[in-house]
Amino acid sequence: MDNEVTTSHSGGVSICGASHISKGLPCQDAFVSANSGSRVITVVSDGAGSASHSDIGAQHFVKTIAATLLDAALQPLTDTIRQKIIEAIDEVKQTLCDTYRLDPRQFAGTLLGAICNDDDCWVFHVGDGAVVVFGLNDEVYISPPENGEYANETFFVTMPNWSQHLRVNQVPFRPTAIFAMSDGVTPFALKSGGVASGFLQPISKYLPTQTLAVGQNLLQQLLSGERATALCDDDKTLSWILFKHG
């Protein structure tokens, strides 16, 4: 559809985790939230801590996927979105490897996010982290983390068979809010396979009442505070899209 997407607020924050700060490492998360007029997207990538250039990989992955899926020529259908993501990620990996003369594993990162037009919304996901979508009638859609054999293992877009772990699903209702997060945020955003009370829903109500700068500043303080750090000392990224209805 070419109708204008009625977003009321979109943005995000990335916080360098205490464990990275203590080791002199950069934040290895990256995100993009963008609106082309006919579509809106949010994308997050969590770079692997064991990969030397994962911060660079994460930045390139989110920027490229955002640009690819916001392309006006793209017909936003599940199979098309999947194929475009695969082609874009493989092209980025090849460019990074040629530029830096490194193995793809040194750019390892997850990928997750959502792309919406005025009528439909799709969530895409590789690896851990989560995407949470709220609807007008209290519906909740969760794209949960996918871990490996062990809880601290996950899947990255730099793995040879990464596309087998690419999930692309259409949300079965019109959203009021979408949140995409790295695994540094999931410990207090999710609980027992569902959404934890007292975090995402209050945020979704607070953000539209503030400017983007004020909202981002509050979340930066929240995610870097003592309580959040005690729950998880990893990098933390939370990005969002909020919608107007009626």
Side-chain angles (χ1 to χ4, degrees):
M1 302 291 291
D2 292 327
N3 296 328
E4 185 176 356
V5 181
T6 52
T7 55
S8 62
H9 204 295
S10 65
V13 293
S14 281
I15 304 298
C16 190
S19 62
H20 284 196
I21 293 173
S22 67
K23 297 174 184 177
L25 297 173
C27 180
Q28 294 167 323
D29 286 0
F31 77 90
V32 167
S33 290
N35 192 327
S36 69
S38 61
R39 295 177 195 143
V40 61
I41 192 170
T42 190
V43 194
V44 171
S45 180
D46 180 356
S50 59
S52 64
H53 286 55
S54 65
D55 56 321
I56 295 172
Q59 292 164 18
H60 280 78
F61 295 144
V62 297
K63 290 176 183 177
T64 301
I65 292 303
T68 298
L69 297 185
L70 288 177
D71 186 342
L74 172 71
Q75 293 298 317
L77 300 169
T78 302
D79 290 343
T80 306
I81 291 170
R82 170 182 292 277
Q83 188 58 37
K84 289 296 184 180
I85 290 174
I86 292 170
E87 292 173 357
I89 291 297
D90 286 344
E91 184 176 345
V92 171
K93 287 190 294 183
Q94 187 62 57
T95 299
L96 289 173
C97 291
D98 291 345
T99 300
Y100 292 91
R101 303 296 180 184
L102 291 172
D103 186 278
R105 290 174 295 181
Q106 298 308 318
F107 304 98
T110 63
L111 183 75
L112 61 154
I115 175 77
C116 305
N117 58 27
D118 201 42
D119 296 309
D120 301 296
C121 178
W122 291 263
V123 169
F124 49 91
H125 200 160
V126 179
D128 56 20
V131 181
V132 175
V133 184
F134 296 123
L136 273 172
N137 299 308
D138 297 324
E139 304 101 328
V140 179
Y141 177 90
I142 302 174
S143 184
E146 183 184 12
N147 297 102
E149 183 177 355
Y150 301 101
N152 63 345
E153 293 181 345
T154 191
F155 300 96
F156 302 117
V157 296
T158 47
M159 291 176 167
N161 64 340
W162 75 273
S163 62
Q164 296 177 21
H165 298 277
L166 172 60
R167 294 168 275 160
V168 180
N169 294 297
Q170 188 168 1
V171 178
F173 53 82
R174 293 188 72 184
T176 57
I178 300 172
F179 292 95
M181 67 202 76
S182 63
D183 70 336
V185 177
T186 55
F188 41 95
L190 302 182
K191 184 178 181 181
S192 302
V195 177
S197 61
F199 184 67
L200 291 179
Q201 287 173 322
I203 289 172
S204 70
K205 292 178 173 59
Y206 171 80
L207 287 173
T209 69
Q210 306 296 324
T211 65
L212 178 59
V214 169
Q216 288 178 324
N217 183 61
L218 175 76
L219 284 175
Q220 285 174 341
Q221 294 180 41
L222 181 65
L223 295 178
S224 60
E226 291 184 6
R227 185 176 179 183
T229 300
L231 285 169
C232 181
D233 64 359
D234 196 3
D235 296 338
K236 299 176 180 67
T237 293
L238 180 66
S239 67
W240 60 83
I241 307 169
L242 307 179
F243 298 87
K244 295 177 182 176
H245 288 292

